[in-house]
Amino acid sequence: MYRHTKEIMVRNIINKNFDGFVHDKPLYTANCDCTHRRRIDHRKLIGNTILAIETDEFGHIGYDKKDEEIRYNDVYMIHSGKWIFIRFNPDENISKTDIKEKLKKLIETIHKCILRIQNEENVELVEIHKLYC
């Protein structure tokens, strides 16, 4: 049985390096009567920005691009502040980069995004950063 082992590995490295990330919980808001409860692999609210890390196991091969757009729209309706998504592919099917190097790059990217948010340098409503996708 498949148990999201790579997502758990990413969760563990995030938790080792950062405080406050929520893993795989539905995003609720007090005034939302939403009919869906989208989950984000890893998320943290910093100011008015949600920093979201999505572990794209198997490169999300087979995922419909339109469904991915709908998903972004759904989560934006739940939190209408700013969003920064880091899409991270831990698999070797796209890149021959060693997983340790990939995780190092992920941590560096999260640090950079946190600094940009704290310095109010993220001006777009939604940013999507792809690592090894």
Side-chain angles (χ1 to χ4, degrees):
M1 178 191 286
Y2 175 68
R3 299 186 189 272
H4 299 281
T5 55
K6 293 173 188 146
E7 181 181 315
I8 299 301
M9 175 187 58
V10 172
R11 180 202 63 195
N12 291 344
I13 198 77
I14 289 172
N15 288 346
K16 180 179 175 184
N17 288 275
F18 304 97
D19 292 325
F21 274 89
V22 175
H23 175 251
D24 195 33
K25 301 280 187 222
L27 181 62
Y28 295 102
T29 58
N31 298 319
C32 180
D33 186 23
C34 303
T35 57
H36 56 79
R37 299 291 182 220
R38 295 286 193 172
R39 292 176 180 262
I40 298 166
D41 291 343
H42 320 275
R43 74 173 190 271
K44 181 176 182 173
L45 178 63
I46 305 168
N48 69 342
T49 301
I50 291 183
L51 176 57
I53 294 91
E54 293 284 353
T55 305
D56 291 353
E57 293 168 296
F58 308 109
H60 278 193
I61 293 172
Y63 279 54
D64 185 305
K65 299 285 185 199
K66 187 67 177 170
D67 287 342
E68 292 285 305
E69 286 181 38
I70 291 168
R71 185 171 185 278
Y72 285 126
N73 290 336
D74 287 348
V75 296
Y76 181 74
M77 294 306 295
I78 297 167
H79 171 74
S80 58
K82 296 177 187 177
W83 287 82
I84 295 179
F85 285 91
I86 300 172
R87 305 296 300 251
F88 176 70
N89 180 5
D91 298 300
E92 292 184 10
N93 57 341
I94 302 281
S95 168
K96 299 297 181 193
T97 307
D98 178 79
I99 187 62
K100 289 180 183 179
E101 287 301 313
K102 284 185 172 188
L103 291 170
K104 181 179 172 186
K105 178 69 172 176
L106 174 63
I107 296 305
E108 289 172 5
T109 303
I110 293 171
H111 275 293
K112 287 178 187 177
C113 288
I114 289 172
L115 286 174
R116 288 186 60 245
I117 294 167
Q118 291 171 337
N119 293 330
E120 299 181 5
E121 296 171 357
N122 58 312
V123 295
E124 300 294 325
L125 289 177
V126 177
E127 293 180 15
I128 303 170
H129 302 269
K130 294 184 177 184
L131 294 178
Y132 310 104
C133 295

